[in-house]
């Protein structure tokens, strides 16, 4: 299952958990488009699935520093 987390001044705070990936992605994308906050989706092992800010999304993790992140949306 997937958790939605918001970045705060105190670190990552969980807003929702035990969500299906599509539900979590839609909610996090809506939140990131409406606010200036950063959000991420993580699995039960707290491994990041994607990072969202301003409606744009970076998928997965990078294997090397010279590989550009994949960005989806505007």
């Amino acid at each position: 299952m997937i958790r939605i987390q918001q970045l705060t001044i105190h670190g990552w705070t969980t807003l929702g958990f035990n969500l299906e990936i599509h539900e979590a992605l839609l909610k996090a994308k809506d939140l990131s488009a409406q606010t200036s906050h950063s959000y991420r989706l993580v699995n039960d092992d707290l491994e990041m699935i994607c990072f969202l800010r301003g409606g744009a999304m970076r998928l997965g993790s990078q294997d090397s520093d010279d590989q550009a992140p994949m960005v989806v949306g505007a």
Side-chain angles (χ1 to χ4, degrees):
M1 299 307 285
I2 306 301
R3 298 174 192 207
I4 299 173
Q5 295 186 326
Q6 176 185 5
L7 184 59
T8 69
I9 61 171
H10 303 292
W12 291 103
T13 302
T14 299
L15 300 178
F17 56 95
N18 293 333
L19 302 170
E20 294 295 329
I21 185 70
H22 298 292
E23 178 185 15
L25 184 57
L26 289 174
K27 286 184 180 188
K29 193 168 183 180
D30 265 355
L31 288 168
S32 72
Q34 294 174 16
T35 69
S36 62
H37 299 289
S38 297
Y39 298 87
R40 70 180 183 178
L41 301 182
V42 296
N43 63 18
D44 289 334
D45 295 325
L46 298 180
E47 297 171 329
M48 187 175 73
I49 297 168
C50 69
F51 177 86
L52 300 102
R53 182 165 186 173
M57 174 177 58
R58 183 182 136 216
L59 298 174
S61 61
Q62 293 175 260
D63 289 0
S64 68
D65 291 337
D66 45 28
Q67 183 182 27
M70 179 186 296
V71 177
V72 178

